[in-house]
Amino acid sequence: MRISQRAVTRAGPAVVLLLLVVGGVLLTLSEITPAYTDVPAYERAMDAVRQGYFSGAVTNHDAATDAFYAVLDRFETWKWRYADFGLSAISWAVLAAFVLTLLRFTGGRATTRRAGIVLPAVVVALLLMFLGLAAGPVLLYSRDQLPAWSDTIAIPIFSGAIAVTLLAPIVGLFVIPPLFLTRGIPSSLVRSGRGWGATLVVTLIYLVPLAAAAFFLSIAVEAGGWLSSLGVWLLVWLLLNARALWLAPPLSVEARSP
């Protein structure tokens, strides 16, 4: 079963338009919303925290950091949340438009067993996730949401690189083997061409990484999260595609299908 061409034609553009409108509204709200509810009071409170730390009056690093974030919690508005949600909505709209265009050229088929497509998609997904992780601390620093005495932003960027490097072989383990170990051609991204037993086993195996990806999507709308979320969406498709390859009908069955 392929995705209905009529459903794509009717619902797809509406989803893209809705995401663009929501993203535009949120970015506009971000532009017109001040960063703090009371700028003079915020500056006085933050100056007191900084002076306490740099003068040596507050010697506990963690206590100074807690005081810094307490001031932010008291005075910060939703300005940057509007910006992050807005960027995510617009980036998802662009992604949805790309998917709709691709489905039109493929007749609604959302699966592939071509290594020339899957392997670059893995690289792009991991790269987007790293760029999102790297952009996060940079944006937080530029927005004055990190204390001046915090560790250099190079540390979380390096940690993000390590995390993505460790994630790469796990993604490869789930995504690459079915390209070479299966022969059937799936007709759907979610339906199975095998018996219920095989379907249950394969689904349970892929349920864990899919649940992990869904969790990352729930926290991706943060500073730089719109980039990471694009990588996670691509990762979700890669996992579903791998599952579909394992559960594709045997070639003999596929050959007899009309």
Side-chain angles (χ1 to χ4, degrees), residues 168-240:
I170 299 175
V171 173
L173 181 64
F174 279 100
V175 170
I176 296 176
L179 298 177
F180 306 101
L181 300 180
T182 65
R183 301 181 64 185
I185 301 176
S187 57
S188 171
L189 195 63
V190 294
R191 288 197 173 189
S192 172
R194 301 283 179 166
W196 69 267
T199 301
L200 179 61
V201 170
V202 174
T203 300
L204 287 176
I205 291 173
Y206 279 84
L207 189 61
V208 173
L210 281 169
F215 172 75
F216 278 114
L217 275 177
S218 70
I219 63 174
V221 190
E222 300 175 355
W226 63 275
L227 274 171
S228 295
S229 66
L230 291 179
V232 174
W233 276 120
L234 187 52
L235 181 59
V236 167
W237 172 76
L238 287 166
L239 292 169
L240 289 175

Coordinates of all heavy atoms in Angstrom, one line a residue, residues 168-240:
A168 N 26.7 6.9 16.2 CA 26.8 6.5 14.8 C 26.8 5.0 14.6 O 26.0 4.5 13.7 CB 28.0 7.1 14.2
P169 N 27.6 4.2 15.3 CA 27.5 2.8 15.1 C 26.2 2.1 15.5 O 25.8 1.1 14.9 CB 28.7 2.2 15.9 CG 29.0 3.3 16.9 CD 28.6 4.6 16.3
I170 N 25.6 2.7 16.5 CA 24.2 2.2 16.9 C 23.2 2.4 15.8 O 22.5 1.5 15.4 CB 23.8 2.8 18.2 CG1 24.8 2.6 19.3 CG2 22.4 2.4 18.6 CD1 24.5 3.3 20.6
V171 N 23.2 3.6 15.2 CA 22.3 3.9 14.1 C 22.6 2.9 12.9 O 21.7 2.4 12.3 CB 22.4 5.3 13.6 CG1 21.6 5.6 12.4 CG2 22.0 6.3 14.7
G172 N 23.9 2.8 12.6 CA 24.3 1.9 11.5 C 23.9 0.5 11.7 O 23.5 -0.2 10.8
L173 N 23.9 0.0 13.0 CA 23.6 -1.4 13.3 C 22.1 -1.6 13.0 O 21.7 -2.7 12.6 CB 23.9 -1.7 14.8 CG 23.5 -3.1 15.3 CD1 24.4 -4.1 14.6 CD2 23.7 -3.2 16.8
F174 N 21.2 -0.6 13.2 CA 19.8 -0.8 13.0 C 19.4 -0.5 11.6 O 18.5 -1.1 11.0 CB 19.0 0.2 13.9 CG 18.8 -0.3 15.3 CD1 19.7 0.2 16.3 CD2 17.9 -1.2 15.6 CE1 19.5 -0.2 17.6 CE2 17.7 -1.6 16.9 CZ 18.5 -1.2 17.9
V175 N 20.2 0.4 10.9 CA 19.7 0.8 9.6 C 20.4 0.1 8.4 O 19.7 -0.1 7.4 CB 20.0 2.4 9.5 CG1 19.8 2.9 8.1 CG2 19.1 3.1 10.5
I176 N 21.6 -0.2 8.5 CA 22.4 -0.7 7.3 C 22.2 -2.2 7.0 O 22.0 -2.5 5.8 CB 23.9 -0.4 7.5 CG1 24.1 1.1 7.5 CG2 24.7 -1.0 6.4 CD1 25.5 1.5 7.8
P177 N 22.2 -3.1 8.0 CA 22.0 -4.6 7.6 C 20.9 -4.9 6.7 O 21.1 -5.7 5.8 CB 21.9 -5.2 9.0 CG 22.7 -4.3 9.9 CD 22.4 -2.9 9.4
P178 N 19.7 -4.4 6.9 CA 18.6 -4.8 6.0 C 18.8 -4.4 4.6 O 18.2 -5.0 3.7 CB 17.3 -4.1 6.6 CG 17.9 -3.0 7.4 CD 19.2 -3.5 8.0
L179 N 19.7 -3.5 4.3 CA 19.9 -3.1 2.9 C 20.6 -4.3 2.2 O 20.4 -4.4 0.9 CB 20.9 -1.9 2.9 CG 20.4 -0.6 3.5 CD1 21.5 0.5 3.4 CD2 19.1 -0.1 2.8
F180 N 21.3 -5.1 2.9 CA 22.1 -6.2 2.2 C 21.6 -7.6 2.6 O 22.0 -8.5 1.9 CB 23.6 -6.0 2.6 CG 24.1 -4.6 2.3 CD1 24.3 -3.7 3.3 CD2 24.5 -4.3 1.0 CE1 24.8 -2.4 3.0 CE2 25.0 -3.0 0.7 CZ 25.2 -2.1 1.7
L181 N 20.9 -7.7 3.7 CA 20.4 -9.0 4.1 C 19.0 -9.3 3.7 O 18.5 -10.4 4.1 CB 20.6 -9.1 5.6 CG 22.0 -8.9 6.2 CD1 22.1 -9.0 7.7 CD2 23.0 -9.9 5.5
T182 N 18.3 -8.4 3.2 CA 16.9 -8.6 2.7 C 16.8 -8.4 1.2 O 17.6 -7.8 0.6 CB 15.9 -7.7 3.4 OG1 16.2 -6.3 3.0 CG2 16.0 -7.8 4.9
R183 N 15.8 -9.0 0.6 CA 15.6 -8.9 -0.8 C 14.2 -8.4 -1.3 O 14.1 -8.0 -2.4 CB 15.9 -10.3 -1.5 CG 17.3 -10.8 -1.2 CD 17.5 -12.2 -1.8 NE 17.5 -12.1 -3.3 CZ 17.6 -13.1 -4.1 NH1 17.7 -14.3 -3.6 NH2 17.6 -12.9 -5.4
G184 N 13.2 -8.5 -0.4 CA 11.9 -8.1 -0.7 C 11.8 -6.6 -0.9 O 12.7 -5.8 -0.4
I185 N 10.8 -6.1 -1.5 CA 10.5 -4.7 -1.8 C 9.3 -4.3 -1.0 O 8.2 -4.7 -1.4 CB 10.4 -4.4 -3.3 CG1 11.6 -4.8 -4.1 CG2 10.1 -2.9 -3.5 CD1 11.5 -4.6 -5.5
P186 N 9.4 -3.5 0.1 CA 8.2 -3.1 0.8 C 7.4 -2.1 0.0 O 7.9 -1.3 -0.7 CB 8.8 -2.4 2.1 CG 10.2 -1.9 1.6 CD 10.7 -2.9 0.6
S187 N 6.1 -2.3 0.2 CA 5.2 -1.4 -0.4 C 4.6 -0.3 0.5 O 3.9 0.6 0.1 CB 4.0 -2.2 -1.0 OG 3.3 -2.9 0.0
S188 N 5.0 -0.4 1.8 CA 4.5 0.6 2.7 C 5.6 0.8 3.8 O 6.3 -0.1 4.1 CB 3.2 0.2 3.4 OG 2.9 1.0 4.5
L189 N 5.6 2.0 4.4 CA 6.6 2.3 5.4 C 6.2 1.7 6.8 O 7.0 1.4 7.6 CB 6.7 3.8 5.6 CG 7.9 4.4 6.4 CD1 9.2 4.0 5.7 CD2 7.8 5.9 6.6
V190 N 4.9 1.4 7.0 CA 4.4 0.9 8.3 C 3.8 -0.5 8.2 O 3.8 -1.3 9.2 CB 3.4 1.9 8.9 CG1 4.1 3.2 9.3 CG2 2.3 2.2 8.0
R191 N 3.2 -0.9 7.0 CA 2.6 -2.2 7.0 C 3.6 -3.3 6.8 O 4.7 -3.1 6.2 CB 1.6 -2.2 5.8 CG 0.3 -1.4 6.1 CD -0.8 -1.8 5.2 NE -2.0 -1.1 5.6 CZ -3.2 -1.4 5.0 NH1 -3.3 -2.3 4.1 NH2 -4.3 -0.8 5.4
S192 N 3.2 -4.5 7.2 CA 4.1 -5.6 7.1 C 3.7 -6.6 6.0 O 2.5 -6.8 5.8 CB 4.2 -6.4 8.5 OG 4.9 -7.6 8.3
G193 N 4.7 -7.2 5.3 CA 4.4 -8.2 4.4 C 4.7 -9.6 4.9 O 4.7 -10.6 4.1
R194 N 4.9 -9.7 6.2 CA 5.3 -11.0 6.8 C 4.2 -11.4 7.8 O 3.2 -10.6 8.0 CB 6.6 -10.9 7.6 CG 7.8 -10.5 6.7 CD 8.2 -11.7 5.9 NE 9.4 -11.3 5.0 CZ 10.1 -12.2 4.4 NH1 9.9 -13.5 4.5 NH2 11.1 -11.8 3.6
G195 N 4.3 -12.5 8.4 CA 3.4 -13.0 9.4 C 3.4 -12.2 10.7 O 4.4 -11.4 10.9
W196 N 2.4 -12.4 11.6 CA 2.3 -11.6 12.8 C 3.5 -11.9 13.7 O 4.0 -11.0 14.4 CB 1.0 -11.9 13.5 CG 0.9 -13.3 14.1 CD1 0.4 -14.4 13.5 CD2 1.4 -13.7 15.4 NE1 0.5 -15.5 14.4 CE2 1.1 -15.0 15.6 CE3 2.0 -13.0 16.5 CZ2 1.4 -15.7 16.7 CZ3 2.3 -13.7 17.6 CH2 2.0 -15.0 17.7
G197 N 4.1 -13.1 13.7 CA 5.2 -13.4 14.6 C 6.4 -12.6 14.2 O 7.0 -11.9 15.1
A198 N 6.8 -12.6 12.9 CA 8.0 -11.8 12.5 C 7.7 -10.3 12.7 O 8.6 -9.6 13.1 CB 8.3 -12.1 11.0
T199 N 6.5 -9.9 12.4 CA 6.1 -8.5 12.5 C 6.3 -8.0 14.0 O 6.9 -7.0 14.2 CB 4.7 -8.3 12.1 OG1 4.6 -8.7 10.7 CG2 4.3 -6.8 12.2
L200 N 5.9 -8.9 14.9 CA 5.9 -8.5 16.3 C 7.4 -8.4 16.8 O 7.8 -7.5 17.4 CB 5.2 -9.6 17.2 CG 5.2 -9.3 18.7 CD1 4.5 -8.0 19.0 CD2 4.5 -10.5 19.4
V201 N 8.2 -9.4 16.4 CA 9.6 -9.4 16.8 C 10.4 -8.2 16.3 O 11.1 -7.5 17.0 CB 10.3 -10.7 16.4 CG1 11.8 -10.7 16.6 CG2 9.7 -11.9 17.1
V202 N 10.2 -8.0 15.0 CA 11.0 -6.8 14.4 C 10.5 -5.5 14.9 O 11.3 -4.6 15.2 CB 10.8 -6.9 12.8 CG1 11.4 -5.6 12.2 CG2 11.5 -8.1 12.3
T203 N 9.2 -5.4 15.1 CA 8.6 -4.1 15.7 C 9.1 -3.9 17.1 O 9.5 -2.7 17.4 CB 7.1 -4.2 15.7 OG1 6.6 -4.4 14.3 CG2 6.5 -2.9 16.2
L204 N 9.2 -4.9 17.9 CA 9.7 -4.8 19.2 C 11.2 -4.4 19.2 O 11.6 -3.6 20.1 CB 9.5 -6.1 20.0 CG 8.1 -6.4 20.5 CD1 8.0 -7.7 21.2 CD2 7.5 -5.3 21.4
I205 N 11.9 -4.9 18.3 CA 13.4 -4.6 18.2 C 13.5 -3.1 17.9 O 14.4 -2.4 18.4 CB 14.1 -5.4 17.2 CG1 14.1 -6.9 17.7 CG2 15.5 -4.9 16.8 CD1 14.7 -7.9 16.7
Y206 N 12.7 -2.6 16.9 CA 12.9 -1.2 16.5 C 12.1 -0.2 17.4 O 12.2 1.0 17.2 CB 12.4 -1.1 15.0 CG 13.5 -1.5 14.1 CD1 13.7 -2.8 13.7 CD2 14.4 -0.6 13.6 CE1 14.7 -3.2 12.9 CE2 15.4 -1.0 12.7 CZ 15.6 -2.3 12.4 OH 16.6 -2.7 11.6
L207 N 11.3 -0.8 18.3 CA 10.5 0.1 19.1 C 11.3 0.9 20.1 O 11.1 2.1 20.3 CB 9.5 -0.7 19.9 CG 8.4 0.1 20.7 CD1 7.6 0.9 19.8 CD2 7.6 -0.9 21.6
V208 N 12.4 0.3 20.6 CA 13.3 1.1 21.5 C 14.0 2.3 20.8 O 13.9 3.4 21.4 CB 14.3 0.1 22.1 CG1 15.4 0.9 22.9 CG2 13.6 -1.0 22.9
P209 N 14.7 2.1 19.7 CA 15.3 3.3 19.1 C 14.3 4.3 18.6 O 14.5 5.5 18.6 CB 16.1 2.7 17.9 CG 15.5 1.4 17.6 CD 15.0 0.9 19.0
L210 N 13.1 3.8 18.2 CA 12.1 4.8 17.7 C 11.5 5.6 18.9 O 11.3 6.8 18.8 CB 10.9 4.0 17.1 CG 11.2 3.6 15.6 CD1 10.1 2.7 15.1 CD2 11.2 4.9 14.7
A211 N 11.4 4.9 20.1 CA 10.9 5.6 21.3 C 12.0 6.6 21.7 O 11.7 7.7 22.2 CB 10.7 4.6 22.4
A212 N 13.3 6.2 21.6 CA 14.4 7.2 22.0 C 14.3 8.4 21.1 O 14.5 9.5 21.5 CB 15.7 6.4 21.9
A213 N 14.1 8.1 19.8 CA 14.1 9.3 18.8 C 12.9 10.2 19.1 O 13.0 11.4 19.1 CB 13.9 8.7 17.4
A214 N 11.7 9.6 19.5 CA 10.6 10.4 19.8 C 10.8 11.2 21.1 O 10.4 12.4 21.2 CB 9.4 9.5 20.0
F215 N 11.6 10.6 22.0 CA 11.9 11.4 23.2 C 12.8 12.6 22.9 O 12.6 13.7 23.4 CB 12.6 10.5 24.2 CG 13.2 11.2 25.4 CD1 12.4 11.7 26.4 CD2 14.6 11.5 25.5 CE1 12.9 12.4 27.5 CE2 15.1 12.1 26.6 CZ 14.2 12.6 27.6
F216 N 13.8 12.4 22.0 CA 14.6 13.5 21.6 C 13.8 14.6 20.9 O 14.2 15.8 21.0 CB 15.8 13.0 20.7 CG 16.9 12.4 21.5 CD1 17.2 11.1 21.4 CD2 17.7 13.2 22.3 CE1 18.3 10.5 22.1 CE2 18.8 12.7 23.0 CZ 19.0 11.3 22.9
L217 N 12.8 14.2 20.1 CA 12.0 15.2 19.5 C 11.3 16.0 20.5 O 11.0 17.2 20.3 CB 10.9 14.5 18.6 CG 11.4 14.2 17.2 CD1 10.3 13.5 16.4 CD2 11.8 15.4 16.4
S218 N 10.9 15.4 21.7 CA 10.1 16.2 22.7 C 11.0 17.2 23.4 O 10.5 18.2 23.9 CB 9.6 15.2 23.7 OG 10.6 14.7 24.5
I219 N 12.3 17.1 23.3 CA 13.2 18.0 24.0 C 14.0 18.8 23.0 O 14.9 19.6 23.4 CB 14.2 17.3 25.0 CG1 15.1 16.4 24.3 CG2 13.4 16.6 26.1 CD1 16.1 15.8 25.2
A220 N 13.8 18.6 21.7 CA 14.6 19.2 20.7 C 14.3 20.7 20.4 O 15.1 21.4 19.9 CB 14.5 18.5 19.3
V221 N 13.1 21.1 20.9 CA 12.8 22.5 20.6 C 13.4 23.4 21.7 O 12.7 23.9 22.6 CB 11.2 22.7 20.5 CG1 10.9 24.1 20.0 CG2 10.6 21.7 19.7
E222 N 14.7 23.6 21.6 CA 15.5 24.4 22.5 C 16.4 25.2 21.6 O 16.3 25.2 20.4 CB 16.3 23.5 23.5 CG 15.4 22.6 24.3 CD 16.2 21.7 25.2 OE1 17.4 21.6 25.0 OE2 15.6 21.0 26.0
A223 N 17.4 25.9 22.3 CA 18.4 26.6 21.5 C 19.1 25.7 20.6 O 19.8 24.7 21.1 CB 19.3 27.3 22.5
G224 N 19.0 25.9 19.3 CA 19.7 25.0 18.3 C 18.9 23.7 18.1 O 19.3 22.9 17.3
G225 N 17.8 23.5 18.8 CA 17.1 22.3 18.7 C 16.4 22.0 17.4 O 16.1 20.9 17.0
W226 N 16.2 23.1 16.6 CA 15.5 22.9 15.3 C 16.4 22.2 14.4 O 15.9 21.4 13.6 CB 15.1 24.3 14.7 CG 16.3 25.2 14.4 CD1 16.9 26.1 15.3 CD2 16.9 25.4 13.2 NE1 17.9 26.7 14.7 CE2 17.9 26.3 13.4 CE3 16.8 24.8 11.9 CZ2 18.8 26.7 12.3 CZ3 17.6 25.2 10.9 CH2 18.6 26.1 11.1
L227 N 17.7 22.4 14.5 CA 18.6 21.6 13.7 C 18.7 20.1 14.1 O 18.6 19.2 13.3 CB 20.1 22.2 13.8 CG 20.4 23.3 12.9 CD1 21.8 23.9 13.2 CD2 20.4 22.8 11.4
S228 N 18.8 19.9 15.4 CA 18.7 18.5 15.9 C 17.5 17.8 15.6 O 17.5 16.6 15.2 CB 18.9 18.5 17.5 OG 20.2 19.0 17.8
S229 N 16.3 18.5 15.6 CA 15.0 17.9 15.4 C 14.9 17.4 13.9 O 14.3 16.4 13.6 CB 13.9 18.8 15.7 OG 13.9 20.0 14.8
L230 N 15.5 18.2 13.0 CA 15.6 17.7 11.6 C 16.3 16.4 11.5 O 15.9 15.5 10.8 CB 16.2 18.8 10.7 CG 15.4 20.1 10.5 CD1 16.2 21.1 9.6 CD2 14.0 19.8 9.9
G231 N 17.5 16.3 12.2 CA 18.2 15.1 12.2 C 17.4 13.9 12.8 O 17.5 12.8 12.3
V232 N 16.7 14.2 13.9 CA 15.9 13.2 14.5 C 14.8 12.7 13.6 O 14.5 11.5 13.5 CB 15.4 13.7 15.9 CG1 14.4 12.6 16.5 CG2 16.5 14.0 16.8
W233 N 14.1 13.6 12.9 CA 13.1 13.2 12.0 C 13.6 12.3 10.9 O 13.0 11.3 10.5 CB 12.4 14.5 11.3 CG 11.3 15.1 12.1 CD1 11.3 16.4 12.6 CD2 10.1 14.5 12.6 NE1 10.1 16.6 13.3 CE2 9.4 15.5 13.3 CE3 9.5 13.2 12.4 CZ2 8.1 15.2 13.8 CZ3 8.3 13.0 12.9 CH2 7.6 14.0 13.7
L234 N 14.8 12.7 10.4 CA 15.4 11.8 9.4 C 15.8 10.5 10.0 O 15.6 9.4 9.3 CB 16.7 12.5 8.8 CG 17.4 11.9 7.7 CD1 16.5 11.6 6.5 CD2 18.6 12.8 7.2
L235 N 16.2 10.5 11.2 CA 16.5 9.2 11.9 C 15.3 8.3 12.0 O 15.4 7.1 11.9 CB 17.2 9.5 13.2 CG 17.6 8.3 14.1 CD1 18.6 7.4 13.3 CD2 18.2 8.7 15.4
V236 N 14.2 9.0 12.4 CA 12.9 8.2 12.5 C 12.6 7.5 11.2 O 12.2 6.3 11.1 CB 11.8 9.1 12.9 CG1 10.4 8.5 12.8 CG2 12.0 9.6 14.4
W237 N 12.7 8.3 10.1 CA 12.4 7.6 8.8 C 13.4 6.5 8.5 O 13.0 5.4 8.0 CB 12.5 8.7 7.6 CG 12.4 8.0 6.3 CD1 11.3 7.6 5.7 CD2 13.6 7.7 5.4 NE1 11.6 7.0 4.5 CE2 13.0 7.1 4.3 CE3 14.9 8.0 5.5 CZ2 13.8 6.7 3.2 CZ3 15.7 7.5 4.4 CH2 15.2 6.9 3.3
L238 N 14.7 6.7 8.8 CA 15.6 5.6 8.5 C 15.3 4.3 9.3 O 15.4 3.2 8.8 CB 17.0 6.1 8.9 CG 17.7 7.1 8.0 CD1 18.9 7.8 8.7 CD2 18.1 6.4 6.7
L239 N 14.9 4.5 10.6 CA 14.5 3.3 11.4 C 13.2 2.7 10.8 O 13.1 1.4 10.8 CB 14.3 3.8 12.8 CG 15.5 4.2 13.6 CD1 15.2 4.9 14.9 CD2 16.5 3.0 13.8
L240 N 12.2 3.5 10.5 CA 11.0 2.9 9.9 C 11.3 2.2 8.6 O 10.7 1.2 8.2 CB 10.0 4.0 9.7 CG 9.3 4.6 11.0 CD1 8.4 5.7 10.6 CD2 8.6 3.5 11.7

